[in-house]
Amino acid sequence: MQQTRLDIARIRAARRMIDPGFLDTPLYRCEALEPGLGCAVSIKLGTANPVRSFKARGTEVVASLLAGKGSRAVVCASAGNLGQALAWSGRGRGLDVTVVASRFATAAKLDRIRALGATLELVDGDHELARERAAAIARHDGIRLLEDSLDLETCEGAATIGLELVEAMPSFDAVLIALGGGALATGVGHVVKALAPAAEVICVQPLGAPAMTRSWRSRRVVTTESADTIADGVAGRYPIPVVLDDLLLVADDAVLVQEASIIAGMRMLFDHAGLVVEPSAALGIAAVLEDRDRFAGRHVVTIVCGSNVDVEAYQGWIGTASLSPRRHAP
């Protein structure tokens, strides 16, 4: 494999900086999903931690390094999960954390950022406007700007998921990874290509937020004017060039899935795996649903990357009846 920005030795070192509460999340075969998908399915449950997403693996590394240098503050832009993770990691290390988010972000995520003690600033626009505002705050206050996916620590923190995967399950055919800014995809992809190169690395993005996938297919940055998807965690419009360069080296494929398939994937994970997940976390299942022939008879791993959802929105997506106890015939 050609060299990405990532390094296996640094990834192993990153694992030692991460609070144990975020490590060694469950990895298990979920046979109940398999009849509906036509393939063997294993779940890597990245939500079994204090912030219910994989993002803290990166923020733990960033906060640890900042605290070690005596830094006092950090700011980031977030659709919700990164902000929660940074608030958690910063609180434990005495850092003042500012999070900039769209006021249209999931309310439950914004509430949790506040509850974790971060300063939350809302902008009247999407995530790209939040990124601009966070950069302005960093310049004005002279503090660290954490940029998800661009900052290598976020990628190498996420890559520890890949270490756990290949160490616990050395043989599988493909791993399905939600694709947004690229930290999870490039991190896990790097490890899989380095340590389990026979496995396919397949990135999955919503059809309504296709910028990184279009960029991967074109081998150059492609931006979009808007994003229209319920999967807010992966709804970026401006891919980062160096992240795309890494993705081009580790991804075997990048696919786009429809909103209906994302919702069907969420419903399957609830009905057959007992998991309440946010839309981004169902992208892997959605990819199998849309291309069963491709995965038939194979063993795929899907990374469930987040479970911070607004309850009312979730009920609307998967159907209130699905949340009610089922009555079985005697």
Side-chain angles (χ1 to χ4, degrees):
M1 182 183 73
Q2 292 178 267
Q3 186 58 48
T4 70
R5 295 181 301 151
L6 287 76
D7 177 79
I8 293 292
R10 285 201 307 267
I11 294 165
R12 296 189 190 280
R15 183 156 57 176
R16 295 191 290 272
M17 301 181 204
I18 299 171
D19 186 286
F22 297 101
L23 296 173
D24 300 311
T25 52
L27 171 65
Y28 57 93
R29 177 90 174 262
C30 188
E31 294 184 26
L33 282 170
E34 296 175 1
L37 296 175
C39 60
V41 181
S42 290
I43 288 173
K44 177 61 173 169
L45 191 61
T47 61
N49 61 58
V51 298
R52 303 195 304 194
S53 83
F54 78 95
K55 294 286 190 181
R57 293 187 185 238
T59 61
E60 282 288 282
V61 179
V62 171
S64 178
L65 293 172
L66 285 175
K69 295 176 182 176
S71 299
R72 60 179 178 82
V74 60
V75 59
C76 76
S78 174
N81 285 343
L82 180 71
Q84 291 179 75
L86 186 60
W88 196 98
S89 298
R91 184 183 65 177
R93 293 170 177 83
L95 298 173
D96 292 327
V97 174
T98 299
V99 177
V100 184
S102 167
R103 69 176 63 256
F104 308 110
T106 301
K109 295 179 180 181
L110 300 180
D111 289 344
R112 189 61 185 150
I113 291 169
R114 296 186 185 96
L116 287 166
T119 299
L120 179 63
E121 180 175 323
L122 301 179
V123 297
D124 290 313
D126 66 5
H127 181 65
E128 303 305 337
L129 183 61
R131 287 173 62 182
E132 293 175 10
R133 176 57 185 157
I137 291 172
R139 289 192 299 269
H140 182 271
D141 295 350
I143 61 175
R144 168 68 183 270
L145 170 65
L146 171 58
E147 294 193 76
D148 197 19
S149 303
L150 175 61
D151 290 354
L152 199 51
E153 302 98 324
T154 62
C155 302
E156 292 185 335
T160 61
I161 296 171
L163 286 181
E164 294 172 9
L165 172 57
V166 299
E167 289 169 0
M169 186 178 290
S171 179
F172 54 94
D173 295 312
V175 58
L176 299 165
I177 311 172
L179 178 60
L184 183 63
T186 59
V188 174
H190 178 92
V191 172
V192 170
K193 284 305 168 189
L195 303 180
E200 263 195 302
V201 173
I202 302 172
C203 303
V204 190
Q205 198 164 38
L207 187 62
M212 187 61 102
T213 295
R214 288 182 181 174
S215 299
W216 182 87
R217 292 175 179 175
S218 301
R219 303 190 68 84
R220 62 177 179 82
V221 169
V222 176
T223 63
T224 60
E225 292 297 320
S226 62
D228 183 14
T229 177
I230 61 171
D232 62 318
V234 293
R237 297 189 289 114
Y238 296 99
I240 299 168
V242 293
V243 181
L244 174 61
D245 290 342
D246 290 340
L247 191 69
L248 288 169
L249 294 175
V250 302
D252 295 297
D253 200 2
V255 301
L256 297 171
V257 295
Q258 300 178 59
E259 298 293 290
S261 300
I262 298 171
I263 293 169
M266 295 170 68
R267 187 178 295 114
M268 287 190 74
L269 285 166
F270 180 82
D271 287 344
H272 302 297
L275 297 174
V276 174
V277 305
E278 58 189 82
S280 301
L283 287 169
I285 301 298
V288 179
L289 287 171
E290 290 200 3
D291 198 354
R292 284 182 173 88
D293 289 345
R294 175 178 185 172
F295 299 103
R298 304 178 73 195
H299 180 189
V300 303
V301 178
T302 185
I303 299 172
V304 173
C305 55
S307 63
N308 291 295
V309 292
D310 177 85
V311 173
E312 290 186 4
Y314 182 83
Q315 289 175 329
W317 291 327
I318 75 164
T320 305
S322 296
L323 297 179
S324 303
R326 294 191 171 183
R327 304 183 70 175
H328 298 279

